[in-house]
Amino acid sequence: MKRYEGMVYSQARKAFLTKEEAEDFTQDVFLKAYESLSQFRGEAQFSTWLFQIAKFHITKVNKKKSHIQADWTEDVATVPDNSKPSTVEVLDKEETHHILHSLICKLPKSYQLPIRLHYFENKPLKEIANDLNIKLGTIKSHISRGKELLRKWWSHEIEG
């Protein structure tokens, strides 16, 4: 757990507003991984498998939160209060994160994981290549192509 805790926690910090939520989520992911350990086939690195569990559960939690936040956002918008700009900023940041996450999920699978590992886990390209057993040049190419698609989709999302 100590070896992979930082990886899971850093994902949780990006997905949740508070440190406590991120810590609770990190514990939940390790509990889910422990409960599912018999399903780990060793076809991928353990870190990749654990990352997928965390990703799945973040998506699941965000779907639940988005329904609650939609109602809450409407209520907040109708109440005049001087503290609302910071609340709106928090919601904007969360919405931006949600849009980016959904765009990354649309990428081909071969682009998704290298981008997540490099930009969200801060893993060096060589380490990603070793972990995924893919040539370094291929990893660089996948990240470059994935970023290009994200730029294109992002501009469409913002303009559209």
Side-chain angles (χ1 to χ4, degrees):
M1 184 174 153
K2 288 184 187 274
R3 183 174 182 184
Y4 301 106
E5 184 176 23
M7 176 187 77
V8 174
Y9 180 73
S10 68
Q11 285 300 306
R13 282 299 287 154
K14 292 175 180 89
F16 299 100
L17 295 176
T18 68
K19 183 178 177 182
E20 291 77 21
E21 285 179 307
E23 290 170 350
D24 289 345
F25 179 81
T26 300
Q27 289 178 349
D28 289 344
V29 167
F30 280 100
L31 181 60
K32 297 285 184 196
Y34 178 75
E35 291 170 348
S36 304
L37 202 53
S38 63
Q39 296 173 358
F40 177 63
R41 297 183 304 264
E43 294 171 358
Q45 294 285 328
F46 182 79
S47 60
T48 304
W49 180 74
L50 186 61
F51 180 83
Q52 293 299 324
I53 291 173
K55 180 178 110 174
F56 172 78
H57 288 291
I58 284 173
T59 303
K60 189 173 164 184
V61 169
N62 282 339
K63 283 181 182 177
K64 286 181 186 176
K65 282 173 53 177
S66 68
H67 294 296
I68 294 168
Q69 288 172 351
D71 295 336
W72 182 78
T73 306
E74 290 171 11
D75 293 341
V76 169
T78 60
V79 178
D81 184 23
N82 292 339
S83 66
K84 295 309 174 237
S86 63
T87 304
V88 170
E89 288 173 8
V90 168
L91 291 173
D92 284 346
K93 181 178 179 183
E94 195 166 298
E95 182 180 356
T96 299
H97 176 75
H98 179 72
I99 291 169
L100 180 59
H101 178 71
S102 67
L103 292 176
I104 290 172
C105 289
K106 287 173 46 178
L107 287 171
K109 297 287 183 201
S110 60
Y111 299 172
Q112 281 184 32
L113 192 54
I115 285 176
R116 289 181 190 280
L117 292 173
H118 185 63
Y119 291 104
F120 296 100
E121 297 299 322
N122 299 319
K123 282 196 171 193
L125 295 175
K126 285 183 181 180
E127 186 177 334
I128 295 169
N130 288 336
D131 288 350
L132 299 179
N133 197 26
I134 298 173
K135 292 180 181 180
L136 180 60
T138 304
I139 291 294
K140 289 178 180 179
S141 175
H142 287 180
I143 288 174
S144 176
R145 290 176 185 160
K147 282 176 26 181
E148 187 58 38
L149 282 172
L150 288 172
R151 278 188 203 102
K152 182 173 140 185
W153 293 341
W154 184 264
S155 64
H156 176 72
E157 191 74 30
I158 299 303
E159 292 170 3

